[in-house]
Structure formats: C-alpha cells, structure tokens
Amino acid sequence: MKHGLKRRLAWLLSLIILGCVLYQPVTAKAKTKMSVRYAVHIQNLGDSQGYVNAPQVAGTSGLGYRLEAISIQLTGNEYKGNVVYKTHVQNEGWQSWKKNGEESGSRGYGRRLEGIEIYLTGEVAKHYDIEYRVHCQTYGWLPWVRNGVMSGTSGESKRLEAIQIRLVDKKTTSSMGVTYRTHCQTYGWLPWVANGEGSGTSGESKRLESLEVKLVGNTYTGGINYKTHIQTYGWEKKYASNGARSGTSGESKRLEAVQIKLYGEVAKHYNVYYRVHAQQFGWLGWAKNGENAGTEGYAYRLEKIEIKLMAKDADTSAEDASGDAFKKNNNPITPPSSFTADQADILALSNQNRSANGVSQMLSLDPTLCKAAQKRAEEIVTSFSHTRPNGESCFSILDEYGYDYWTAGENIAAGYGNASSVMNGWMNSSGHRANILNGSYTKLGVGCVRGKGTYGIYWVQLFATPSK
C-alpha cells in the first residue's frame, strides 16, 4: 500500500509540474516601429504597383498618368491609432474621410485625384507627425506638408501623378519656415518659394490674382491664416489657412492688399513678416502679424510678395523701420456704391494700361458719361456703329445729356465676355488703344449690355476732356 501510494503521489506531482509548464503565460511581443504603407490605382496600370513602404514613390512620373484611388495603412505596433485621409476627385470634389486601408478615390470612371489631406488620430498622433507630398501635373513635386494640410490643387483640373508619405517622430524636430506661391496674370500659378523669396513679377505690370501659404517644420504646432483685398469684392470675409487659396480664379481680378497671421503655439515664438510690390508705389514696407500690406482705394494691383518667419527674439529693427506697408486712399476715385462692377473694372484696367505705358494722367469715372455710355451700349445692340440709329454722330449723345467737353472719343466692342477680355481686344487695336492711352482725356464713361443681340454682350467706352 505504501509503495502504491508513493507511485500515485509521484504521478500526481508530475502532472502538476507538467501543467505548470503547459500553462505558463505567453510573454509579450516585441514592439515594432511605426511606419506607413500605401497603394495607388493608376491610369492604364491599375493596381500593378501594390503597396509600397514609406517613403517610396507610389505612382509615375513623366508618363502623364493620373492617380485615381489610394489606400493608406499604418504599420508597426508601438502605439494605437488611425491614419485618416480624403481625396479631391475630378467632377466630385472632396470625398468623405476614409481610414486604415479603406480606398479613397474612384475606379472605372477615369477620374483623376486632384488633392489629398492626411492626418493621424489616437495615441500614434501624440508621438508622430505624418508628412506627404504629391507630384502634380504642370507643377511637378510640391513641397512636403503634414497633418491634414492639403497637398495638390483645387479648382485647377490638375491630376496627381505620384505621392510619397512618411511618419516623422515628434522628437525629430525641423526648423519652422514658410512656403508660398501666387497665381499671376498670364503665367498662372508660379512655383513655390520660401522664406523671404519673391513670388510674382517685376517690371511686367502683371497682377497677382491668388495666394497660397503653408508653414513647414515641426518645432511648434499651429498654422497660418491669410486673406486678401480683391478688385471689386474688397476684403474677403473669411481667412484662408494652411495652403488653401485666397483670391479668385478665372475672373481676372487683381489682389490689392493682404493680411497674414500665425496661430497656435508657433505664434508665441515667431512673427510673420510680409511685404508687397504694388503698382505705382513699388516695394512697400514690411507688415507683420495680421497688419495690412498693399493699397486700398487706388485700384492698384499687387505684383509681387515676400513672406518670412522671424523668431520673437530676432533683430527686426530693419523690417520695423522699412516704411509704410499700406496705402489707403480716403477719397477713392470710384466709390464702390456709385458705379457698377463692370464700370469699376474697365476704369481700373484702363488706368493700369495707362500706367504701364507711361501715361501719368489717370481717368476717373463720370456719372453723366456713364449714363450716356450705357445708352450707347443699348444702341449698338441693333446698330453696331459709331453712327447712332438716328443717323447722328456718336458724340451727339453728349449733347443729349448736356455734357460740355473740349475733346471726346468712343470705343465700342461686342462678344467679349468680361472686362479683361474686352480691354485686351481694345489694346490690340491701334485706334482703340490710342483712345485709352490719350493723356488729354481725364473722364471716362462705361456702358455694358448683356443678354441681347447677335453677340450677347456689348461694351462702350466714352472718353472726354470736360470744358468746365
């Protein structure tokens, strides 16, 4: 019995030891560093590239192939969290947000991606920034942006052709800076420049029409806001931010002034300084932190801009002593409420052309001349001629309105869709150009009729040197 009991105890003990071995807790897995991978759907090539790892290029360059869709995933298990993204798609605009490998874009419709925004959420966002850049039709590689700032274009019909994405440890810091670009008359969007470089033109009398500004670097959190004073419209009601467009596109409207300011942590450590080259005035002084730079009430175009960040403890005595950054005409030649937008635009363009061609005498709108010009615009719908429908000379309209003058001139046109196009037409015709650049004329009347006649839109300029 004792031997049997010993055998049973030994057997039971072996089971206990074995159980301890079999049910020993599993040890924790090793941590792997966080990163990102991504896959794109490419015109003609489809999904042939598959997923690539950061920061490899996904897409093509030099083939003219559009990106049509994208999926993005985090890799590694250091931290929990999500990668969230959305794309701007041809004919659709911005799609809804996707995350963690879901596809954003379209398949089977032949639609290009035009812009993308990407950011992180959760614990991973406390330790990493996500940076990305795109290769864009016409512009090539755009600057790196991060954490939800748009990369690409909106409203320009430009395809994305390739993309790079990477995670950057927040412990790895890069210096703060600013990058920006302008949309310029004739040339369209100019290349991105940075940290005090000029964007625009000099000596070409070309107006700036739009502005985009972004911060670079990750030393501090925050961003940059900006808004512009636009021909006809005045100051924009809302600020644009972090790469969004301020200004207009396709309207031939000049920028006349700008405000730029920082927000968030970066604003505690840096000032943003900016100055503009304005028609007639040339380079104005430096403005900073939301102050006005440019002109108001003169109808003068901005031609170039420089922007830079300066640390709060930097020597800014030269910038602060650089003179007036903003010029305001308190008695503007053209009170906005007195004349139509067409009249104001034709006046501004006429004076721009005078200035560009060395004519010092600027025109001003005359209410009586504008009434006469409007009647002439109605007349040329049925009789496109400098002879009035009643057989009299076009200048008899001035007598009809009781306007006393020494000299007068008339320009007419039809079929031009806006003020900029009709002015280009007139300036490319010797007789019309001579009237516009005639320095003896001091007053201008403008008439415009839309939606009538064979050509749909009719324009009249009446120039005069009043005798009183």
Side-chain angles (χ1 to χ4, degrees):
M1 290 295 291
K2 289 182 179 181
H3 291 293
L5 179 60
K6 287 180 180 180
R7 284 195 296 272
R8 286 194 292 273
L9 288 173
W11 178 78
L12 181 60
L13 181 60
S14 66
L15 284 179
I16 293 171
I17 294 172
L18 180 61
C20 290
V21 172
L22 290 176
Y23 296 102
Q24 184 176 350
V26 178
T27 57
K29 291 182 179 178
K31 294 287 186 182
T32 55
K33 189 173 178 62
M34 300 300 297
S35 189
V36 64
R37 67 176 196 153
Y38 37 97
V40 293
H41 185 80
I42 308 168
Q43 175 188 357
N44 294 337
L45 302 180
D47 301 320
S48 60
Q49 284 189 347
Y51 274 93
V52 301
N53 294 314
Q56 291 177 306
V57 174
T60 64
S61 178
L63 299 179
Y65 291 166
R66 64 183 172 267
L67 300 187
E68 298 180 345
I70 186 169
S71 302
I72 309 173
Q73 297 177 346
L74 293 177
T75 61
N77 63 356
E78 282 182 290
Y79 307 107
K80 294 181 179 180
N82 305 292
V83 58
V84 184
Y85 44 97
K86 67 177 179 179
T87 54
H88 191 278
V89 180
Q90 176 186 358
N91 296 337
E92 297 181 29
W94 286 106
Q95 292 190 339
S96 59
W97 292 99
K98 305 293 183 182
K99 65 179 181 180
N100 303 335
E102 296 174 341
E103 189 169 88
S104 180
S106 66
R107 286 175 178 262
Y109 294 98
R111 295 175 180 171
R112 63 183 170 266
L113 300 188
E114 299 176 345
I116 189 168
E117 298 177 2
I118 312 172
Y119 67 95
L120 302 173
T121 65
E123 191 179 8
V124 67
K126 300 176 183 177
H127 300 274
Y128 285 92
D129 295 309
I130 189 163
E131 295 186 338
Y132 43 100
R133 67 172 184 164
V134 297
H135 191 278
C136 183
Q137 177 186 354
T138 305
Y139 305 128
W141 283 109
L142 300 184
W144 288 92
V145 296
R146 61 174 56 198
N147 301 338
V149 174
M150 187 192 80
S151 186
T153 65
S154 176
E156 296 184 54
S157 301
K158 303 292 186 184
R159 64 181 172 268
L160 302 190
E161 298 176 346
I163 189 170
Q164 289 178 281
I165 309 174
R166 64 190 181 193
L167 296 192
V168 178
D169 195 316
K170 287 183 180 289
K171 297 175 184 177
T172 304
T173 59
S174 56
S175 299
M176 301 302 298
V178 62
T179 183
Y180 44 97
R181 66 173 183 163
T182 55
H183 191 279
C184 182
Q185 177 185 356
T186 305
Y187 301 128
W189 283 108
L190 299 179
W192 289 89
V193 298
N195 302 324
E197 296 176 316
S199 182
T201 63
S202 294
E204 299 185 49
S205 301
K206 302 292 186 185
R207 65 180 172 268
L208 301 186
E209 298 176 345
S210 293
L211 173 69
E212 294 179 352
V213 190
K214 305 174 185 178
L215 294 183
V216 295
N218 67 345
T219 310
Y220 303 106
T221 60
I224 192 162
N225 292 327
Y226 43 96
K227 67 178 178 179
T228 52
H229 188 281
I230 304 169
Q231 173 186 353
T232 306
Y233 304 136
W235 285 106
E236 292 177 305
K237 291 182 173 60
K238 296 182 179 179
Y239 282 94
S241 301
N242 305 320
R245 184 181 66 207
S246 176
T248 63
S249 176
E251 298 185 47
S252 300
K253 302 290 187 185
R254 65 181 172 270
L255 301 187
E256 298 179 349
V258 63
Q259 297 175 1
I260 308 174
K261 61 183 181 180
L262 303 171
Y263 66 87
E265 189 181 8
V266 67
K268 300 176 183 178
H269 300 273
Y270 283 89
N271 297 310
V272 59
Y273 276 85
Y274 44 99
R275 67 171 184 165
V276 298
H277 191 279
Q279 178 187 354
Q280 298 294 99
F281 291 110
W283 283 110
L284 297 175
W286 289 94
K288 67 176 181 179
N289 302 337
E291 295 172 350
N292 295 339
T295 70
E296 185 177 344
Y298 289 96
Y300 290 167
R301 63 184 171 267
L302 299 189
E303 299 177 345
K304 202 168 189 177
I305 188 169
E306 296 176 353
I307 310 172
K308 58 185 179 182
L309 295 191
M310 299 189 72
K312 292 280 189 181
D313 58 358
D315 180 6
T316 60
S317 56
E319 287 77 12
D320 294 334
S322 59
D324 293 336
F326 184 67
K327 302 284 188 179
K328 185 172 182 178
N329 184 0
N330 292 316
N331 297 295
I333 293 172
T334 314
S337 60
S338 301
F339 302 101
T340 68
D342 288 328
Q343 291 167 339
D345 290 347
I346 292 294
L347 172 70
L349 292 168
S350 298
N351 282 335
Q352 285 179 25
N353 280 291
R354 284 185 163 220
S355 175
N357 286 276
V359 180
S360 59
Q361 175 64 56
M362 295 293 106
L363 295 164
S364 61
L365 288 175
D366 184 286
T368 302
L369 277 181
C370 284
K371 292 178 182 177
Q374 186 62 32
K375 184 168 183 178
R376 284 290 295 132
E378 294 167 359
E379 290 180 350
I380 65 172
V381 172
T382 55
S383 178
F384 189 74
S385 170
H386 292 295
T387 300
R388 299 180 67 188
N390 62 7
E392 295 179 350
S393 163
C394 59
F395 301 117
S396 68
I397 193 78
L398 301 180
D399 299 326
E400 186 176 314
Y401 278 85
Y403 193 87
D404 294 325
Y405 63 97
W406 291 112
T407 58
E410 180 183 71
N411 286 345
I412 62 175
Y416 293 94
N418 56 46
S420 179
S421 62
V422 72
M423 282 298 301
N424 286 336
W426 281 331
M427 287 299 293
N428 284 299
S429 168
S430 59
H432 300 92
R433 178 187 178 92
N435 274 339
I436 294 169
L437 302 183
N438 188 335
S440 68
Y441 295 141
T442 61
K443 298 296 182 180
L444 176 67
V446 178
C448 181
V449 170
R450 286 182 166 84
K452 295 182 179 180
T454 303
Y455 296 101
I457 183 167
Y458 296 82
W459 299 87
V460 171
Q461 281 182 309
L462 282 177
F463 304 89
T465 306
S467 59
K468 294 181 181 180

